[in-house]
Amino acid sequence: MASAMTVIEIRIELKKGVADPEGKNTQKTLESLGFGGISAVRTVKLFEVEVDAPADEALKQGEEMCRKLLANPVIQNFRVTVR
Amino acid sequence: MASAMTVIEIRIELKKGVADPEGKNTQKTLESLGFGGISAVRTVKLFEVEVDAPADEALKQGEEMCRKLLANPVIQNFRVTVR
């Protein structure tokens, strides 16, 4: 049996319209440090997961991980890609 | 004067060898939920920043933001890309 190691990247971001206080505060602090012309700062949560599975199966597992644990479907969207 | 809006992505990850307790705990919890064959979970911090500047200048600003505020050079590496 062949074994494959796949690194998947799970990207979890807030849905449109959901408040992102960390992003807002980061923006304010950057502005107070003199950075101009910033119209938005958004925070994204990223997990890199090494899975002992081929790419297609690893992707499916990653989506299942989001549904079961990592993402909150009320306020977050997720996207799983192979790195 | 032409104006350009650039969205940069600032990716901040822990240096090799630095403990990632959030990643470790996420891995344990995934395993307790029945996910097998996971050899590592790493957490990455991502900021999406909309800057009113052309791409090359926005990239430079993003790197400066990391040096001045967002990243801790003792334990973190950063990478800035245009999205």
Side-chain angles (χ1 to χ4, degrees), chain A residues 5 7 9 11 13 22 26 29-30 33 35-52 61 64-65 68-70 83, chain B residues 5 7 9 11 13 22 26 29-30 33 35-52 61 64-65 68-70 83:
Chain A
M5 176 63 67
V7 180
E9 197 169 276
R11 187 187 169 106
E13 34 187 63
E22 188 184 352
T26 303
T29 308
L30 286 169
L33 288 172
F35 291 97
I38 303 173
S39 51
V41 176
R42 287 182 290 272
T43 56
V44 178
K45 184 85 201 157
L46 208 79
F47 294 95
E48 278 184 8
V49 184
E50 287 183 23
V51 186
D52 186 20
Q61 279 189 40
E64 197 62 20
M65 290 173 192
K68 285 201 174 159
L69 178 71
L70 303 177
R83 230 203 33 182
Chain B
M5 177 62 67
V7 180
E9 198 168 275
R11 188 186 169 106
E13 34 187 60
E22 188 183 352
T26 303
T29 308
L30 287 170
L33 288 172
F35 291 99
I38 302 173
S39 51
V41 175
R42 287 181 291 273
T43 56
V44 178
K45 184 85 203 157
L46 208 79
F47 294 95
E48 279 184 8
V49 184
E50 286 183 23
V51 187
D52 185 20
Q61 279 189 40
E64 196 62 20
M65 290 173 193
K68 285 201 175 159
L69 178 71
L70 303 177
R83 231 201 34 179

Side-chain angles (χ1 to χ4, degrees), chain A residues 11-25:
Chain A
R11 187 187 169 106
I12 300 172
E13 34 187 63
L14 292 166
K15 291 187 179 182
K16 267 213 171 92
V18 176
D20 182 356
E22 188 184 352
K24 279 269 175 267
N25 282 320

